[in-house]
Amino acid sequence: MSADAAAKKIEWNKIAFLFLGIILFAIVNFSPAWPDAVDPAGKAFSLSPQGKGALAVFLLAGTWWVFEVTPIGVTSIAIGVLQALFLIRPAEKAFKDFMDPSVMFIFASIVIGMVFTKTGLTKRMAYRMLSFVGEKTSMILLGTFLVTAILTHIMAHTAVAATVFPLLIAIYGLYGEGERPTKFGKALFMGMAYVAGAGSIITLLGSARAAVALSFFKEMTGKEISFFQLTYYMAPIGWAMVFILWGFFMVVLKPEKKTIPGLRERASRLAAEQGPITKKEILAAIIVFGAIAVLSLRSFVPFLKPIDKTAIILLSTLLFFLTRILDIEDLENIPWNIILLFSGAMSIGFCLWETGAAQWMAVHWLTFFKETPWWVFVLSMAFFVLVMTNFIMNVAAIAISVPVALVVAKYLSVSPEVIMFAALVTAGMPFLLLVGAAPNAIAYNSKQFTSGEFFKYGLPASLILMAVLAVAILVIWPAMGMPTFLGK
């Protein structure tokens, strides 16, 4: 088949999936009223016309995102447009979410990555790391995974991904394939995104999801889970996934080259050619690590808690321009496609939540498993969170599903701790869609993989995650002292 014929075939595939998304939207949005969802306590949850519309937008966006019918940012714009056109939510709400503080946090994180690249800090760090890990591509992958995971223990995984991304670009530049996608490139960047999620579940500093979820858990159950208790139970799972993911990528995307001959010497030579660290590099490092320090201290210093994390990290963006580390050309080079991707994700997430569609889905899903063995029920709840967190905010996925799960759990005498920790595990590792977490979208900016490939490799990775979680629920956590049943 000629190149032109192949291109036409791909285009026809995109057209087919374009209409598939539209058809799914029309079927769901214009269908008759759907039956109520009823929890075990007898409480009914109806699905309003707006909720049905939210599900319709949800299906269209998911189809278009996975198959890249249009640029991912354009699909996000469609999310806002459909909500306004079909009266699912008012335009001021649908589009207001596009500038949610979480979106601006991602914007500031991407700017940090740009600064590391422009000043040369990333190349400096890359050359140092490569001098240490050597020339084996397997060890290079493991080294980058370990660095990513460790950093997520002390800073948000979004900031980690933005910081590590240019480092990976510099490393890949030495692989010798230019910008051409390779198995090594896919493993390097997708692996970074997956591992950022795995590492972020271990401490309260890895993401906002844990702190919000634990606060929510205390309000519902009257029990408090401490910083160190969280780390105690989550560290074995998070670190197990880091090494399992390394093995996974070494199997499914085994690098074309076992070694990069002369890499250690080349890295040492390039590091020497950079010369001593510059004033701009020092200033950039002070601004970035100053912001990270303040963000980390918010969990421990009372007077810092009221200060919004987005304002803190955006201050770094202001300082980059005020100190002339960045200029107007850099502002124009920001990957707005990625920013729009998360804008749309926030909008559909709030849409599902506010219209009651997400809760309706959660009740239907979880009550289906109320007669199953307790561990099957816990895994079904975790699986629901896993699916939802690939489309909407992980905090929202937990807030939607955990209350329903806790109601059903009482009938099975399952302890609330098992429910909460299982939800936090899957909420932290959305391996299927780019919108599931900021590191996914940041990795996509490498152009090493498509959203379809991300989904393809994310399916087996998600199944592995569920298997690890099953072992944790049945063996690891009980052995560590986590109560499994009420009253025990």
Side-chain angles (χ1 to χ4, degrees), residues 52-125:
K52 199 146 53 68
L55 290 177
V57 176
F58 179 68
L59 289 171
L60 180 142
T63 303
W64 285 11
W65 270 329
V66 169
F67 298 104
E68 290 189 276
V69 169
T70 64
I72 52 179
V74 175
T75 296
S76 292
I77 293 173
I79 287 170
V81 170
L82 289 170
Q83 289 179 63
L85 283 179
F86 291 91
L87 308 180
I88 297 167
R89 280 201 306 165
E92 59 267 23
K93 283 192 174 184
F95 290 109
K96 183 180 178 182
D97 297 336
F98 276 63
M99 291 300 285
D100 185 85
S102 296
V103 176
M104 297 308 294
F105 187 95
I106 291 163
F107 165 80
S109 299
I110 289 173
V111 171
I112 287 174
M114 292 177 63
V115 166
F116 269 62
T117 302
K118 184 174 183 179
T119 59
L121 275 170
T122 48
K123 286 185 177 180
R124 195 176 294 278
M125 290 190 295

Side-chain angles (χ1 to χ4, degrees), residues 6-19:
K8 285 180 181 178
K9 181 180 179 182
I10 293 171
E11 196 64 27
W12 276 112
N13 285 343
K14 286 190 176 183
I15 291 171
F17 288 119
L18 167 74
F19 281 103

Side-chain angles (χ1 to χ4, degrees), residues 138-386:
S138 60
M139 290 299 100
I140 294 172
L141 283 176
L142 180 59
T144 57
F145 287 9
L146 292 177
V147 168
T148 301
I150 290 169
L151 286 176
T152 59
H153 294 0
I154 58 172
M155 56 194 279
H157 69 330
T158 300
V160 171
T163 303
V164 171
F165 177 77
L167 172 69
L168 303 189
I169 290 289
I171 290 172
Y172 188 70
L174 298 173
Y175 191 60
E177 298 294 333
E179 295 183 356
R180 186 177 71 86
T182 63
K183 289 182 179 180
F184 177 69
K186 295 179 197 301
L188 188 66
F189 289 97
M190 277 195 283
M192 178 275 289
Y194 289 8
V195 168
S200 73
I201 72 171
I202 296 172
T203 75
L204 280 171
L205 305 179
S207 75
R209 93 181 74 88
V212 174
L214 295 191
S215 174
F216 174 74
F217 179 77
K218 181 181 178 181
E219 184 179 333
M220 286 206 59
T221 65
K223 296 182 178 182
E224 186 167 0
I225 295 173
S226 69
F227 182 96
F228 296 104
Q229 191 178 5
L230 174 81
T231 299
Y232 174 70
Y233 286 121
M234 298 299 258
I237 315 307
W239 275 107
M241 283 302 299
V242 170
F243 287 101
I244 289 170
L245 286 168
W246 172 63
F248 170 75
F249 282 110
M250 285 302 300
V251 171
V252 301
L253 286 170
K254 187 176 181 179
E256 295 85 351
K257 305 173 185 177
K258 287 187 177 180
T259 61
I260 308 176
L263 179 64
R264 193 191 295 269
E265 291 76 11
R266 202 185 333 165
S268 298
R269 185 181 72 252
L270 290 169
E273 288 174 1
Q274 275 194 302
I277 192 166
T278 65
K279 289 181 180 179
K280 275 196 173 182
E281 286 177 279
I282 294 171
L283 182 57
I286 290 171
I287 292 171
V288 171
F289 291 110
I292 291 168
V294 175
L295 286 170
S296 301
L297 288 172
R298 283 178 71 246
S299 300
F300 306 100
V301 181
F303 80 87
L304 288 176
K305 284 186 179 180
I307 303 175
D308 186 77
K309 62 183 175 64
T310 303
I312 294 169
I313 199 167
L314 277 173
L315 178 61
S316 68
T317 301
L318 287 174
L319 292 173
F320 292 143
F321 284 95
L322 290 173
T323 55
R324 309 219 172 176
I325 293 173
L326 296 179
D327 53 35
I328 186 64
E329 289 184 6
D330 297 306
L331 187 63
E332 292 169 351
N333 289 330
I334 287 173
W336 293 106
N337 189 40
I338 303 301
I339 306 298
L340 280 172
L341 168 68
F342 269 90
S343 298
M346 294 300 294
S347 186
I348 187 60
F350 281 120
C351 183
L352 287 166
W353 195 349
E354 291 176 7
T355 61
Q359 194 169 29
W360 180 87
M361 284 193 291
V363 174
H364 259 305
W365 174 258
L366 294 176
T367 52
F368 181 73
F369 292 91
K370 66 182 179 181
E371 303 296 335
T372 61
W374 69 271
W375 58 273
V376 174
F377 167 73
V378 175
L379 285 175
S380 72
M381 181 277 306
F383 181 75
F384 180 82
V385 173
L386 175 65

